Amino acid sequence: MNEEGPQAQAPLLVLGEIRAILECFAPQGPELTLPEIRQATGLPSSTCRRLVENLVREGFLDRTGDAYRIGLALVRMAAPGLYEFDPVRRIQPFLDELRDSTGETACLYVRDGLYCSVVGLAETRHVVRRAVALGTVDPLHEGSAGRVFLAHDEDAWRDVLEQGPGPVTGRTVPDVEQLAEQRAAVRRHGYAVSVEEGDVGSVSVSAPVFGVHGRLVAVLGIVAPVQRLTPADVPGTAALVVASAGGASRAIGCPPALLLGEPTGAESEAAEAARRRVGKKGAGTAHDTRRPGEQICAMGDAPSGATWGRVSHALFRAGRLHRVHAGTLLRRVGLYPGQEILLMLLWDEDHRAQADLIRALALDASTVTKMLQRLEQAGFITRSPSPTDRRASVVSLTDAGQALRDQVADLWHELEQDATTLLSEEETTAVTGILNKIEEGLQQRLPGDRDTDGPPARAEGSPRVG
């Protein structure tokens, strides 16, 4: 019998409460008393007691004296999910999404002794790229990925201290004291950056991926040419890398509670860096004598090829910064840019067909499918077969997805204020009207198939590149 009443949402609420109870248990706290469970979940005393007793009765929890722990029945039920469990396969969608959001090659690294190896890859679509391949091996004492391993893997740090770091390029840090300072900085900021350490002309940004016990299992990051990823771009890019690493951690079973302590310094840094870049003039010229890694991209200066499209280049610059800042804000609630629009559609009308969402978003099916997979893995939506058409899927919000509504509204209000901070009310109205006209004009020119996520078409007779 449902003690919570006949409301349709009651079973979902109960499932959320049960999940909250089960997630209280962790390797460092495998046994908890009822007061500790109640304190960790924030559930009312009577509700917590009733649910815990039911979980014990069903074998999902075991009780010894006043202490409870995960029951053997639940462990037995979870065992089939471990067959063919492939962390790299589960993390690959996050690599693809990070590649799409940054435009650069995304990599997944694992440690092998004093080295780290690339085991997952999503290559950039740029012709100019930092060459990376599956199986690429780098020493732990150079590069941002190795620095993350040193920061979060005590065995790795001990091995490097015993071996003694050595230089690879002129910018590799060979000094143990400097490595220790950088190790502390990685723990403090939540990510690592390296410029031209392993390869001259290359920059990388990496963040940790934690497993089911909250221990480091891999490192996720991006690599790019220094000319394309400038110091001004790093904080915003780092925010996207950290968010992807957090999503990957949840996908392979890291309890959310163990991710709460992730550093958030990149958020404010990225927002401030984005503001500084707007309106920056003439920071880099043909006679710039600074090293490539020290040059600042002049966001206000169009390349010569863009002089035929001043409006298009302005839209590109503003859109890029807007997306970076939106990603920084949305990271607070575990979302990527674009996912909040999909959720908004569901907040207006829940239980919608997946095909309906694809039409409403005006995106190709593969892009929306990836978005739905990420939101489902994060616990914000569910997908189920349509009762009227078994070939169709119905997308529904979970309680967690419903709970994001007010938070996303606040973040979008903040994003709007930041985007229009230099505009008057009249200018804001005028810009909105102009953008609507631009959208209408482009809409008239678009073909029926608006799939733009694939590689660009190659003109007949043109050579292949990349």
Side-chain angles (χ1 to χ4, degrees), residues 86-261:
D86 183 356
V88 176
R89 178 174 59 83
R90 295 201 175 202
I91 293 174
Q92 184 63 46
F94 294 93
L95 293 174
D96 295 339
E97 193 161 316
L98 182 61
R99 183 268 316 278
D100 294 340
S101 64
T102 63
E104 305 299 344
T105 297
C107 304
L108 182 70
Y109 305 84
V110 296
R111 184 172 79 91
D112 182 13
L114 292 171
Y115 300 89
C116 58
S117 303
V118 176
V119 297
L121 189 67
E123 288 191 282
T124 178
R125 296 188 175 94
H126 289 294
V127 175
V128 178
R129 64 185 68 185
R130 192 275 201 186
V132 183
L134 290 175
T136 298
V137 177
D138 293 314
L140 288 181
H141 66 273
E142 55 126 308
S144 63
R147 196 163 297 149
V148 174
F149 280 111
L150 294 181
H152 293 281
D153 187 334
E154 294 299 329
D155 292 337
W157 178 241
R158 185 188 63 248
D159 291 347
V160 167
L161 290 181
E162 292 175 355
Q163 168 84 7
V168 176
T169 72
R171 298 189 183 185
T172 301
V173 179
D175 184 80
V176 171
E177 291 185 2
Q178 287 181 276
L179 280 176
E181 292 176 359
Q182 291 182 346
R183 183 173 185 253
V186 172
R187 287 176 171 269
R188 185 167 61 251
H189 296 299
Y191 63 89
V193 181
S194 71
V195 179
E196 299 188 284
E197 291 185 15
D199 295 300
V200 175
S202 174
V203 58
S204 66
V205 184
S206 300
V209 176
F210 299 104
V212 66
H213 299 303
R215 300 191 185 98
L216 182 74
V217 296
V219 171
L220 187 149
I222 60 104
V223 294
V226 292
Q227 294 89 345
R228 204 159 57 228
L229 184 60
T230 69
D233 300 320
V234 165
T237 301
L240 297 173
V241 172
V242 172
S244 294
S249 298
R250 289 187 289 271
I252 62 173
C254 183
L258 299 182
L259 292 175
L260 294 180

Side-chain angles (χ1 to χ4, degrees), residues 32-109:
L32 299 172
T33 64
L34 186 59
E36 289 173 333
I37 296 173
R38 185 169 62 248
Q39 181 178 6
T41 61
L43 293 172
S45 178
S46 60
T47 301
C48 186
R49 181 183 298 106
R50 173 173 53 79
L51 291 177
V52 167
E53 290 174 353
N54 288 336
L55 289 171
V56 171
R57 187 178 304 115
E58 297 297 329
F60 297 156
L61 292 180
D62 288 338
R63 179 177 181 177
T64 303
D66 294 333
Y68 298 86
R69 62 184 304 127
I70 294 295
L72 292 178
L74 188 60
V75 175
R76 184 176 64 253
M77 293 177 187
L82 298 178
Y83 291 122
E84 298 183 1
F85 177 78
D86 183 356
V88 176
R89 178 174 59 83
R90 295 201 175 202
I91 293 174
Q92 184 63 46
F94 294 93
L95 293 174
D96 295 339
E97 193 161 316
L98 182 61
R99 183 268 316 278
D100 294 340
S101 64
T102 63
E104 305 299 344
T105 297
C107 304
L108 182 70
Y109 305 84

